[in-house]
Every structure is written in C-alpha cells, then in structure tokens.
Amino acid sequence: MSETSTTARHEQDQDPVVVYTAYEIDFMLGLRDTENGRITREQIGLRSAPEEAREFVTAAVSSGLRARGKVERSGEGQWALGEEGQIVATALTSADRWLGIALSEGPAMRMAFVVKADRAVLMLTQDELDSFQVTALPDPAVVPDSIADIVNAFLEDGAERTVSLRRTDLADPSDQVPMMMHVEPSGAWRLGHLPLDEEGVLSVSDLPRDKVAAAVAALWDEGTSAAPAR
C-alpha cells in the first residue's frame, strides 16, 4: 500500500487540510474493529501491511500520528483518536451503504467511493495507488447530484469513456447492484443496467443526458438499476 498522503477534511473545518496516509487510515479502522469496518475495507480495497512488516508499520504509523497530535495514549495504554480521525473512523466503521465509482478511459482508471453511515457521508477519491482524498458531504441527499456532476463531466469530455457504479447495502453486502454508463465512438450515451443476460452481461439502453441524475438517484436511494424512464 502506498505511503502517499491521504487528505481528510471535515465539511465545516476551516483549519489547514489534515493529511493521512493509507496506512494511517487502516490503523484508525483497526482501533475499532467492526463488521461494518471489515466490509468497508473490502469495498474500498484497503489492505493492511504484510504480516512480516505489520509490527514495524504499526509502530511507525502510530508514532507519526502521535507526533502530529492526531492520537494519544489513554491511561490504560489504549490509542485514542483526535477529532479529525474520529470523523473518518466513525463513518468507515459504522457504514451502512457504499457506492463504488470507477472512471475509465482505455487502460486508465480512477476510483472513488461514497461511504454512508446514517446521516454521515464520506467520499474517498483515489489519489495515487491506494491512497485517497477523503472529504465529507453534508447529507446523504446530496449524493446523487454530486455523483451525477462527476459522471456528466467525465463522459462529456470524450468518447469511449466508461463510468461503472456499484451500490452495496449492509442489509445484504453480497448483493451488489451494478450500473454502467458509456460513451460510444459515435458519441451516443448508453446505460448498462439490470437484468443480466444469460452470459452475465448488463442490459443496454440509450441514455439521454438529462436522465443521468435520475439513474444515479435510483441506484443510490433505492438500489435500482434499470432502463431510464421515458
């Protein structure tokens, strides 16, 4: 996992940007081991250090966080997170809904994830390799428009681009709802949606550009992947 910096910023925070490495986020998740947190790790592809290096990495990470005043030791010798770390760790370990987003053009791909925990929402945007810029969204209701803006901006910038979306809900983490949006070489926009055919391929429909937000909203709010309403 890369040691490239990860940014965590609360929506209302006016302080300088708080920076975390991917290993630091993994460390914070490990302080509060929950089933939701384990699912979050799987959803965003977060991995701990290799077993043979884990002790060294953990010591280095905890020392770095402590030196920056982000964690401290309690009287019982337990690590306690600072305010910024609590914002990130609480959402990631209590998550009840995840939306994975992949923006691809040829072999190049960028990933992002929306993680919801009750009314708290974080967006993790891939920075480099396995590091992420983490930002807070003010409310789950803003997610569809925020994602639709990203989708439209990406697809409008060139043909043969693809956005893949995948919604997962805590009620049944194994039941992931997929959706895909693609720009053909001709410039036509297509929507890949359920049901799958016999070969496991998404059904395809025309995608009017003014239907992108509605499709994203149906996926995020209802877990629905279907042809655009006429």
Side-chain angles (χ1 to χ4, degrees), residues 15 20 45 53 67 91 113 163 178 206 221:
D15 294 334
Y20 295 97
F113 302 88
V163 177
D206 291 337
D221 294 330

Side-chain angles (χ1 to χ4, degrees), residues 92-110:
L92 297 185
T93 57
S94 305
D96 54 62
R97 187 181 304 169
W98 301 261
L99 181 67
I101 308 159
L103 310 177
S104 58
E105 180 182 18
M109 178 179 294
R110 299 286 286 179

Side-chain angles (χ1 to χ4, degrees), residues 14 42 127 210:
Q14 298 302 315
E42 184 66 25
D127 185 4
D210 62 358

Side-chain angles (χ1 to χ4, degrees), residues 114-136:
V114 177
V115 179
K116 171 185 170 293
D118 193 19
R119 305 303 299 175
V121 185
L122 294 179
M123 180 178 286
L124 291 82
T125 305
Q126 187 183 45
D127 185 4
E128 296 179 14
L129 298 178
D130 291 328
S131 64
F132 302 93
Q133 175 176 298
V134 183
T135 55

Side-chain angles (χ1 to χ4, degrees), residues 13-28:
D13 193 0
Q14 298 302 315
D15 294 334
V17 171
V18 182
V19 176
Y20 295 97
T21 67
Y23 278 136
E24 287 172 335
I25 293 180
D26 182 68
F27 175 81
M28 292 188 292

Side-chain angles (χ1 to χ4, degrees), residues 35-201:
E35 179 63 22
N36 306 55
R38 288 190 286 273
I39 297 173
T40 294
R41 273 194 175 93
E42 184 66 25
Q43 291 296 314
I44 67 177
L46 194 62
R47 297 291 181 264
S48 300
E51 185 64 37
E52 62 272 16
R54 191 162 300 164
E55 184 176 350
F56 170 79
V57 171
T58 299
V61 167
S62 58
S63 295
L65 286 169
R66 190 174 190 179
R68 293 192 286 132
K70 303 306 178 186
V71 300
E72 59 184 25
R73 285 281 196 183
S74 68
E76 293 75 30
Q78 301 297 316
W79 290 111
L81 293 171
E83 181 180 359
E84 301 89 354
Q86 289 182 32
I87 293 170
V88 174
T90 298
L92 297 185
T93 57
S94 305
D96 54 62
R97 187 181 304 169
W98 301 261
L99 181 67
I101 308 159
L103 310 177
S104 58
E105 180 182 18
M109 178 179 294
R110 299 286 286 179
M111 299 293 296
F113 302 88
V114 177
V115 179
K116 171 185 170 293
D118 193 19
R119 305 303 299 175
V121 185
L122 294 179
M123 180 178 286
L124 291 82
T125 305
Q126 187 183 45
D127 185 4
E128 296 179 14
L129 298 178
D130 291 328
S131 64
F132 302 93
Q133 175 176 298
V134 183
T135 55
L137 299 179
D139 188 273
V142 309
V143 171
D145 284 344
S146 297
I147 301 307
D149 286 346
I150 294 171
V151 171
N152 278 312
F154 182 73
L155 295 183
E156 287 173 352
D157 209 28
E160 299 192 81
R161 290 186 167 204
T162 302
V163 177
S164 299
L165 304 171
R166 183 192 65 198
R167 181 191 188 270
T168 307
D169 194 276
L170 184 62
D172 189 357
S174 64
D175 184 21
Q176 299 178 347
V177 183
M179 178 179 287
M180 184 177 293
M181 301 179 184
H182 177 72
V183 182
E184 301 284 359
S186 65
W189 288 30
R190 309 292 188 210
L191 178 70
H193 56 84
L194 296 177
L196 301 176
D197 64 19
E198 294 179 354
E199 298 180 354
V201 177

